[in-house]
Amino acid sequence: MCTSPRSMASYESEIAASDIRQLCQSQIDHLSEKLSALDVWLVRWDQVENKRDMLSSRRHSLTNTEITSYLEPKRWITENLPFLELMPLSLDSSESCAYVCGLRQTETQCEYLLLRTQEHVSKLQRELIKENAQLLHQYLALYQENQRQQEKIQLLEQTLQRLNHQLRNPLALINLYAETIVLDAENDIQKSKASCIRQTAENISDKLEDLLACGKQASLKKENHNLLVLLQNVVQLLKPRIDAKQLTIAQPSQAMPVVVDGWQFEQVLQNLLDNAIYYSPVGGTITINWHGPPKAVLVTIRDQGPGIGDESDPQELFLPFYSQREGGTGLGLAIAKKIILDHQGSIGAETLPQGGAQFSVFLPHVP
């Protein structure tokens, strides 16, 4: 039984988990030093390992084991654990004081900060603890969001792999039958049509490989291209849909040099233009512009449709399987974002004040 290779998303998740631990450890070490605290604990939920993770910063090698055994478990947690506020805990001890500060609460888990000090904390120290708690809260929230994104990317990779397995055999069968028809063709017309089917199946198979490679840095084939030529290729491909809605494509006429993977960047343009066509009113105009270099190239595609919507987060448009289109797969914009990120660029969307949506692609200039 073959074991499939680890996905890039899985590898990046482990790196992120390592980074968040180091970042949080550094923060509680800093807090411990500023407070002269005996102990500082940060309890968080490790989403990679799916278990409770406790980080500690201890200023003294010796500590009261009874106090530690009370604080480290969660027996003292109540439903009213304060969020970003310091709450004293009863230790029944004259040696030290203990406090808890809630950082985040999920449906099943609680993340919090525990402190043990020799004396009651002052008002100034409370503010210091609160500032550090807010930073830790932001770190953990960003980490969780990063994990969610990585999981969705991993799901996208797995979906593309399934598509590969599901389409590979039918394409090979089409190719085989087309080759047989070519050999048995009674005239040149039949032979030409069968050859066209065979070539199309081969092209789809090749493009499927390229699609599966999207998002992998090593597979990028960056070369010098003319952005105008790449756009013209895409416009020609989508011309039937453009003509069906009687749309006007307003685009620059000047050449624009870019260093990109030509086929992959055409997929980005195709996804963005296809989206603009779908939402454009009949007889509308889609405006494409670009600016740059020397430092970067900015490409914008603007339509006259309804816009993104006041209640929608523009970044949700790029999530795998999120779609506002009836019958949409939710993969087009997600794949476009992966390709742009692999080119070290960025992509965004917005609703314009005058109406319509605008997608912007930023590409750093590579000399």
Side-chain angles (χ1 to χ4, degrees), residues 15-31 42-47 55 83-84 103-104 111 113 129-148:
I15 294 176
S18 174
D19 289 345
I20 192 66
R21 287 192 98 255
Q22 293 179 11
L23 193 61
C24 290
Q25 185 67 58
S26 175
Q27 195 67 34
I28 63 173
D29 287 345
H30 172 75
L31 179 60
L42 170 64
V43 178
R44 54 178 286 272
W45 187 255
D46 188 330
Q47 295 176 341
L55 304 177
F83 176 69
L84 296 180
L103 298 177
R104 284 173 11 97
E111 296 178 318
L113 194 63
I129 294 169
K130 186 174 182 179
E131 289 176 4
N132 279 266
Q134 288 173 335
L135 283 173
L136 287 167
H137 164 74
Q138 292 172 6
Y139 294 159
L140 295 171
L142 287 172
Y143 169 67
Q144 184 184 47
E145 179 60 28
N146 176 69
Q147 290 299 109
R148 277 200 294 260

Side-chain angles (χ1 to χ4, degrees), residues 336-348:
K337 182 173 182 177
K338 285 190 68 177
I339 293 173
I340 295 303
L341 290 176
D342 284 339
H343 282 78
Q344 308 302 314
S346 60
I347 185 170

Side-chain angles (χ1 to χ4, degrees), residues 28 31-32 37-42 55-57 113-116:
I28 63 173
L31 179 60
S32 177
L38 299 175
D39 297 286
V40 178
W41 291 278
L42 170 64
L55 304 177
S56 65
S57 180
L113 194 63
L114 277 173
L115 303 101
R116 192 169 70 91

Side-chain angles (χ1 to χ4, degrees), residues 314-365:
Q315 291 306 311
E316 288 184 343
L317 300 177
F318 301 99
L319 297 178
F321 309 111
Y322 176 90
S323 179
Q324 294 181 337
R325 293 171 57 165
E326 183 177 353
T329 63
L331 293 177
L333 293 178
I335 291 173
K337 182 173 182 177
K338 285 190 68 177
I339 293 173
I340 295 303
L341 290 176
D342 284 339
H343 282 78
Q344 308 302 314
S346 60
I347 185 170
E350 62 181 324
T351 298
L352 299 173
Q354 65 270 33
Q358 176 172 286
F359 285 79
S360 303
V361 174
F362 174 85
L363 288 174
H365 176 60

Side-chain angles (χ1 to χ4, degrees), residues 116-128:
R116 192 169 70 91
T117 59
Q118 287 183 312
E119 299 177 349
H120 292 290
V121 297
S122 65
K123 183 178 180 180
L124 188 61
Q125 288 175 323
R126 281 180 174 270
E127 290 300 317
L128 176 64

Side-chain angles (χ1 to χ4, degrees), residues 288-301:
I288 304 168
N289 276 312
W290 50 65
H291 308 277
K295 293 184 178 180
V297 174
L298 176 65
V299 183
T300 59
I301 297 180

